[in-house]
Amino acid sequence: MMLTGRMKEATKAMSGSLTVEAAIIFPVVLCSIFLMVQQGIVLYTQTVKMFQRQEMWEEFSPAEQFRRLDLIKDIF
């Protein structure tokens, strides 16, 4: 009987220990997840900006504009 009582006390103490550990680990895990999501959003924003800059340069063709200006000078 006495052993059973000690086992119950040990189980209660262990249960409280797990609660304290979870109270420490849960915010760390949650902050880690938020930081990963934030970095993903930053990476997405940088990718969108880079893509927009690339489209601008694809529309701009300096060689073609030079040929047109040279042709205009030849005509006039």
Side-chain angles (χ1 to χ4, degrees), residues 5 7 12 15 17 27 49-50 58 62 65-67 69:
M7 289 178 69
K12 287 181 183 179
S15 176
S17 174
K49 287 179 182 178
M50 183 180 68
E58 286 178 0
Q65 286 186 352
F66 179 77
R67 289 186 196 111
L69 289 175

Side-chain angles (χ1 to χ4, degrees), residues 41-65:
I41 292 171
V42 168
L43 181 62
Y44 173 76
T45 305
Q46 290 174 352
T47 304
V48 168
K49 287 179 182 178
M50 183 180 68
F51 182 73
Q52 289 172 347
R53 280 187 256 134
Q54 183 181 2
E55 282 183 343
M56 179 188 75
W57 281 107
E58 286 178 0
E59 294 173 2
F60 179 67
S61 176
E64 185 65 33
Q65 286 186 352

Side-chain angles (χ1 to χ4, degrees), residues 3-62:
L3 187 58
T4 308
R6 288 184 183 169
M7 289 178 69
K8 287 181 181 179
E9 289 176 17
T11 305
K12 287 181 183 179
M14 191 175 251
S15 176
S17 174
L18 291 176
T19 304
V20 171
E21 289 175 6
I24 294 171
I25 292 173
F26 184 74
V28 172
V29 171
L30 194 61
C31 287
S32 298
I33 291 171
F34 284 145
L35 287 173
M36 287 188 284
V37 169
Q38 181 186 14
Q39 289 298 320
I41 292 171
V42 168
L43 181 62
Y44 173 76
T45 305
Q46 290 174 352
T47 304
V48 168
K49 287 179 182 178
M50 183 180 68
F51 182 73
Q52 289 172 347
R53 280 187 256 134
Q54 183 181 2
E55 282 183 343
M56 179 188 75
W57 281 107
E58 286 178 0
E59 294 173 2
F60 179 67
S61 176

Side-chain angles (χ1 to χ4, degrees), residues 69-76:
L69 289 175
D70 197 33
L71 182 62
I72 291 172
K73 287 179 184 178
D74 289 343
I75 292 174
F76 294 108

